[in-house]
Amino acid sequence: MPGFKTLDDLPADLAGKVALVRVDLNLPMKDGSATDVTRVEAAKPTILELTDKGAKVLLLAHFGRPKGQRNSTMSTSFIQDAVEDVLGKEVMFISEVSGPVVEQSLGILRNGDIGLLDNVRFWPGEEANDPEFARAMAEHGDIYVNDAFSAAHRAHASTEGLAHLLPSYAGRAMEAELKALDAALGAPKQPVAAVVGGAKVSTKLDVLQNLVGKVQHLIIGGGMANTFLAARAVDVGKSLCEHDLTGTANRIMDEADHAGCTVHLPYDVVVAKEFAANPDSLRTCNVHEVEADEMILDLGPQAVEALGDVLKTCRTVVWNGPLGAFETEPFDAATVALAKTAAALTEGGSLTSVAGGGDTVAALAHAGAKDDFTFVSTAGGAFLEWMEGRELPGVAALSS
Ligand code: ADP
Ligand code: MG
């Protein structure tokens, strides 16, 4: 595991010190108020640990995409209430991220108080990772804490630049995420299975490429399984299928072969002639029996059972992408069943299970399996880039 400091490395007393804390406060909004405060809850332990130590905490976050300009509809002042509610503490809104306004505000804040800086993306220096901009922010802080894994795939001033200018620490949420990811693909217990599903191969080529060299079992589901089946000369009817990528699919299967990675494709599937809930044309068949006017919308029960047996032989599973069109019944069946198997094996202590991806999180929640997984990442883009095997600049900067 790459070395980075955590809050454990801080002295017990931070009285008189200012902590610049990068958090993810990009909350979903409706009619001017936050509809989901999960992200604030994720940052809460870090923030309160720092205030308990007596630090003045300045929260640094982006909110929407203002593209380097002040935009009154994207001020973090809109989320001040939500942050106060979750933290159970007063938070002072500060309309800048550097300069005299921040300095004056720090003069008003007492030890253990919290300030919320305005949207860091109002300034072009943020996304440009301008060292001058980072330095102007760093002037106000004694330490930098990054608790926003979801922004760590961006090399921005608040996610990367600051880490080079101040003593830097991973916050508790960042630490938990990095530990879970390390347990999944960094130094996992073997054998490892990867479940990759979702709509398209084209969006996950780099993920597949990275995984074949790292896992013993590659389970392919969702629309992308159709492309792999087509590559093996299966007629997938009018299924979602990227026929132009069958060559790529074959290459990935060859590479897997060489690397000693078993690729698992379904041998039965759930098909229908139209994409609707519980259609009359619904049936389950062998992959070789799909009619020209049918589409594959989920894996079949035999495939799911076989995949469950694979997971039973594994110590680790990393999962991105649903196995079927899970938003529409009954095409959620395979995803729900395999998720429940993974959850039960995790509960039983034989499996470490790590999952991520927007639709994957929704699917696991729908299956009632989310809380039983070892770790479910809500980081979206950062999680996928990690699955692609990329170095995340925000994480790398903490480790340097
Ligand atoms: P994530 O957001 O977890 O990374 P993706 O966005 O890659 O996942 O894929 C999720 C989408 O894939 C879902 O909307 C689901 O309906 C769709 N999908 C899964 N299987 C199929 C299939 N057989 N045919 C069409 N769409 C599918
Ligand atoms: Mg998605």
Side-chain angles (χ1 to χ4, degrees):
M1 179 134 196
F4 53 84
K5 292 201 181 87
T6 70
L7 301 192
D8 294 330
D9 297 300
L10 284 168
D13 187 11
L14 290 175
K17 303 284 187 203
V18 176
L20 280 175
V21 185
R22 180 57 161 97
V23 284
D24 180 355
L25 297 179
N26 201 17
L27 309 185
M29 305 289 287
K30 198 169 184 229
D31 303 328
S33 39
T35 54
D36 181 356
V37 295
T38 310
R39 287 171 165 167
V40 192
E41 275 157 3
K44 181 176 174 175
T46 294
I47 297 167
L48 295 188
E49 195 170 333
L50 291 165
T51 56
D52 283 350
K53 284 176 186 277
K56 296 181 187 183
V57 169
L58 291 182
L59 300 178
L60 193 54
H62 75 274
F63 184 48
R65 295 172 180 266
K67 306 221 164 91
Q69 278 180 10
R70 258 193 204 278
N71 180 325
S72 58
T73 67
M74 295 183 203
S75 168
T76 57
S77 62
F78 288 110
I79 50 181
Q80 183 182 3
D81 286 352
V83 176
E84 289 185 330
D85 280 353
V86 172
L87 297 181
K89 275 182 146 211
E90 235 175 82
V91 170
M92 179 197 254
F93 171 70
I94 302 168
S95 62
E96 300 283 337
V97 292
S98 67
V101 171
V102 175
E103 210 43 51
Q104 282 156 19
S105 303
L106 282 170
I108 299 165
L109 290 174
R110 294 153 306 171
N111 292 341
D113 281 351
I114 302 165
L116 172 62
L117 301 171
D118 212 341
N119 189 346
V120 68
R121 287 195 187 163
F122 283 173
W123 290 270
E126 165 66 359
E127 290 177 71
N129 199 5
D130 173 9
E132 284 308 312
F133 178 68
R135 210 165 285 128
M137 292 191 288
E139 290 254 310
H140 304 285
D142 298 293
I143 61 168
Y144 166 72
V145 176
N146 190 348
D147 211 23
F149 176 81
S150 59
H153 57 316
R154 311 271 186 229
H156 292 171
S158 72
T159 61
E160 203 272 347
L162 277 175
H164 299 295
L165 300 170
L166 291 171
S168 303
Y169 304 84
R172 295 300 182 196
M174 172 75 90
E175 180 187 350
E177 180 102 25
L178 294 178
K179 282 188 175 153
L181 299 189
D182 196 58
L185 285 183
K189 289 185 227 145
Q190 315 263 340
V192 185
V195 178
V196 186
K200 289 184 169 180
V201 171
S202 52
T203 59
K204 296 192 177 167
L205 269 181
D206 292 341
V207 170
L208 294 165
Q209 198 70 58
N210 180 42
L211 290 174
V212 288
K214 290 198 173 150
V215 304
Q216 286 73 45
H217 297 277
L218 179 58
I219 293 171
I220 299 181
M224 38 203 303
N226 304 338
T227 302
F228 278 80
L229 289 169
R232 290 209 172 154
V234 170
D235 186 347
V236 297
K238 58 174 183 143
S239 304
L240 173 65
C241 178
E242 293 167 289
H243 290 281
D244 55 324
L245 286 180
T246 52
T248 307
N250 272 322
R251 184 173 51 74
I252 289 170
M253 287 191 278
D254 285 347
E255 280 173 34
D257 235 14
H258 282 293
C261 166
T262 309
V263 177
H264 298 269
L265 293 175
Y267 33 78
D268 64 337
V269 286
V270 179
V271 299
K273 289 190 206 297
E274 64 276 320
F275 183 31
N278 305 301
D280 291 339
S281 57
L282 182 75
R283 68 183 190 108
T284 299
C285 66
N286 183 282
V287 289
H288 295 288
E289 295 163 1
V290 179
E291 302 283 343
D293 60 348
E294 289 179 318
M295 56 192 140
I296 301 170
L297 291 164
D298 199 13
L299 307 191
Q302 286 186 51
V304 174
E305 202 179 315
L307 296 176
D309 288 342
V310 171
L311 293 191
K312 282 173 197 151
T313 70
C314 290
R315 303 297 312 278
T316 306
V317 63
V318 52
W319 187 329
N320 170 258
L323 301 180
F326 77 101
E327 301 93 334
T328 309
E329 284 201 356
F331 310 113
D332 58 339
T335 307
V336 168
L338 196 66
K340 285 194 164 144
T341 301
L345 293 170
T346 307
E347 279 260 273
S350 68
L351 191 68
T352 297
S353 50
V354 174
D359 294 294
T360 308
V361 176
L364 295 182
H366 168 72
K370 189 172 155 235
D371 294 341
D372 292 329
F373 268 57
T374 310
F375 190 81
V376 176
S377 174
T378 53
F383 180 84
L384 269 184
E385 288 202 19
W386 165 79
M387 274 196 81
E388 290 168 357
R390 289 176 204 263
E391 178 170 80
L392 307 182
V395 174
L398 281 181
S399 311
S400 59

